[in-house]
Amino acid sequence: MLFLDVILRIPAVTLLFLLAVLAWRDARHMIQGRIVIVLGLTLGAMLLSTAPAEIRPPSPLYETLRLIDTANLVFVWWFGLSLFEDDFKLRRLHWGGLAVYLLVGLPSRINYLIGNPPLWIGFDILMRLVSAGIILHLLWRALFGWRDDLIEARRRTRLWYTIATAIAATLIVVGEIVYSMQTGDRSDPAWLSTSRSGVALPVILFAAWWFLALRAEYFLFEPTQTSVIQAPRIDPKDTATHGRLVALMQDDFLYREQGLGIGDLASKLNVPEHQLRALINKGLGYRNFASFLNQYRLAEAKAALADPEQARTPILTIAMDVGYASLATFNRAFKSDIGTTPSAFRAEALENAAQS
């Protein structure tokens, strides 16, 4: 068992630390690169600190590594989201997950390392629930965005990466829970420790191959295209489809339809969905379907917000009228595109109109 553990664990740790070094060298200016640095260090620390006693690092290095790896699942979550969400930014939800691990998990880990009994069973339950929530959220985001993702290479890989990560994390977490419930022992037996390495290594190998490729169509290292391209590179075979698409958007205002998906639009155009994806992505330059719809929705919303005759129309009404399902989604899209909030944009536009 020890030999098997070594041949699984050492390559995984080496790859993780190598990825962290390469990310620091080549990608530290990108948010994905910075997350990879932290992720590689924390996962490497986890694999080293959970090794069998025969190859476990000596004290105090062991205790240091155990503290470093406390929030490794949070960084797995961040990295997965950063790959598949255009213009990914760390928001309160992401920092909140990290805060729970640090404020609850870190004291529990310190208490365990000094040999004291568990602080409170509720802490362990809370950490398990947060871990499950993180895994489910990552999987949900991959599934939620898969249909409207216009980049075929990313669509083909996003599910495999996220599902593999979710399965690996679930097996590790569930294995720890089952063993702890059956025995009451919070330490890892040899079989569980080796199983963790066996599950992690294939995922790490795939992630390493993927990251080292550094393909722009996989990673969102370029800003999302949100403005209308004045001279679209339309394939001559798609000219007629493009004409009908523009008519549906500009004349029939189809973008106002809430919940409009690319499959619905393809049906209305009577073209295969993959053909429409290629037209919007390669011909018009959009990375996802939402950014394509936003160009029309935000243009109408800006006009309405700047119109003195609609000065008393609630912003929520304007957002719903142009196709947004919620005010929060509208505010986020508006600020991302315009750089300010709808209310601030309206106030400035109406003031300029009054002065003129």
Side-chain angles (χ1 to χ4, degrees), residues 168-186:
T170 300
L171 290 176
I172 291 172
V173 171
V174 170
E176 292 174 347
I177 293 174
V178 171
Y179 177 76
S180 178
M181 291 178 61
Q182 288 181 345
T183 66
D185 185 5
R186 301 174 67 193

Side-chain angles (χ1 to χ4, degrees), residues 130-179:
V130 172
S131 299
I134 284 175
I135 295 170
L136 291 174
H137 182 262
L138 179 59
L139 187 57
W140 176 76
R141 289 303 302 172
L143 293 171
F144 178 79
W146 176 80
R147 189 67 184 271
D148 289 340
D149 195 341
L150 300 178
I151 304 173
E152 288 300 323
R154 191 172 66 185
R155 290 184 75 242
R156 288 194 300 268
T157 56
R158 64 186 296 159
L159 290 181
W160 291 113
Y161 169 82
T162 307
I163 290 173
T165 301
I167 291 175
T170 300
L171 290 176
I172 291 172
V173 171
V174 170
E176 292 174 347
I177 293 174
V178 171
Y179 177 76

Side-chain angles (χ1 to χ4, degrees), residues 295-352:
Q295 65 156 318
Y296 295 103
R297 290 174 172 173
L298 293 177
E300 182 177 352
K302 286 189 291 183
L305 292 170
D307 184 0
E309 295 186 2
Q310 300 188 57
R312 294 194 176 277
T313 303
I315 292 178
L316 175 60
T317 301
I318 293 175
M320 302 288 282
D321 286 346
V322 300
Y324 289 97
S326 70
L327 183 60
T329 304
F330 171 66
N331 286 337
R332 186 162 53 248
F334 194 96
K335 188 171 184 180
S336 176
D337 185 78
I338 312 302
T340 186
T341 62
S343 57
F345 176 87
R346 167 182 264 181
E348 182 178 355
L350 293 179
E351 182 180 353
N352 292 337

Side-chain angles (χ1 to χ4, degrees), residues 22-342:
L22 292 178
W24 171 263
R25 188 190 68 180
D26 300 328
R28 64 180 181 272
H29 61 289
M30 311 168 190
I31 187 170
Q32 291 90 347
R34 293 193 290 271
I35 295 175
V36 167
I37 295 171
V38 179
L39 181 59
L41 295 176
T42 55
L43 285 180
M46 183 270 290
L47 289 175
L48 283 176
S49 62
T50 57
E54 294 86 348
I55 58 173
R56 182 177 300 167
S59 182
L61 178 58
Y62 164 73
E63 290 78 8
T64 302
L65 293 172
R66 288 297 285 163
L67 295 178
I68 291 174
D69 85 75
T70 302
N72 61 78
L73 186 59
V74 174
F75 303 119
V76 172
W77 175 45
W78 287 7
F79 182 59
L81 295 177
S82 73
L83 294 179
F84 305 128
E85 294 184 5
D86 285 335
D87 303 319
F88 173 79
K89 295 178 181 178
L90 292 173
R91 298 185 173 90
R92 283 180 292 183
L93 173 65
H94 310 123
W95 290 112
L98 179 61
V100 170
Y101 268 82
L102 295 181
L103 295 177
V104 178
L106 201 56
S108 297
R109 182 65 57 85
I110 294 173
N111 188 68
Y112 165 72
L113 289 173
I114 61 180
N116 291 336
L119 294 174
W120 179 48
I121 188 62
F123 286 159
D124 285 340
I125 295 174
L126 176 60
M127 294 303 298
R128 302 303 185 190
L129 291 176
V130 172
S131 299
I134 284 175
I135 295 170
L136 291 174
H137 182 262
L138 179 59
L139 187 57
W140 176 76
R141 289 303 302 172
L143 293 171
F144 178 79
W146 176 80
R147 189 67 184 271
D148 289 340
D149 195 341
L150 300 178
I151 304 173
E152 288 300 323
R154 191 172 66 185
R155 290 184 75 242
R156 288 194 300 268
T157 56
R158 64 186 296 159
L159 290 181
W160 291 113
Y161 169 82
T162 307
I163 290 173
T165 301
I167 291 175
T170 300
L171 290 176
I172 291 172
V173 171
V174 170
E176 292 174 347
I177 293 174
V178 171
Y179 177 76
S180 178
M181 291 178 61
Q182 288 181 345
T183 66
D185 185 5
R186 301 174 67 193
S187 61
D188 292 343
W191 66 265
L192 180 58
S193 179
T194 303
S195 299
R196 181 188 291 111
S197 301
V199 171
L201 182 58
V203 178
I204 294 170
L205 285 170
F206 177 68
W209 167 80
W210 198 18
F211 182 78
L212 292 175
L214 286 176
R215 299 180 183 179
E217 65 268 25
Y218 288 178
F219 297 97
L220 301 181
F221 293 161
E222 300 173 358
T224 305
Q225 174 67 40
T226 55
S227 59
V228 178
I229 297 177
Q230 299 299 323
R233 302 178 299 276
I234 305 299
D235 189 313
K237 297 179 182 179
D238 293 329
T239 301
T241 302
H242 178 245
R244 299 200 307 274
L245 174 63
V246 172
L248 282 176
M249 294 294 116
Q250 296 183 355
D251 300 336
D252 298 341
F253 307 105
L254 187 62
Y255 59 86
R256 293 176 179 173
E257 182 178 316
Q258 291 185 11
L260 178 67
I262 193 167
D264 303 321
L265 184 55
S267 298
K268 294 179 183 296
L269 289 170
N270 195 28
V271 297
E273 188 175 317
H274 69 85
Q275 180 181 330
L276 182 59
R277 291 181 188 278
L279 170 61
I280 298 176
N281 175 230
K282 298 179 181 178
L284 300 178
Y286 294 94
R287 300 175 68 89
N288 62 70
F289 188 60
S291 63
F292 168 73
L293 292 178
N294 281 343
Q295 65 156 318
Y296 295 103
R297 290 174 172 173
L298 293 177
E300 182 177 352
K302 286 189 291 183
L305 292 170
D307 184 0
E309 295 186 2
Q310 300 188 57
R312 294 194 176 277
T313 303
I315 292 178
L316 175 60
T317 301
I318 293 175
M320 302 288 282
D321 286 346
V322 300
Y324 289 97
S326 70
L327 183 60
T329 304
F330 171 66
N331 286 337
R332 186 162 53 248
F334 194 96
K335 188 171 184 180
S336 176
D337 185 78
I338 312 302
T340 186
T341 62

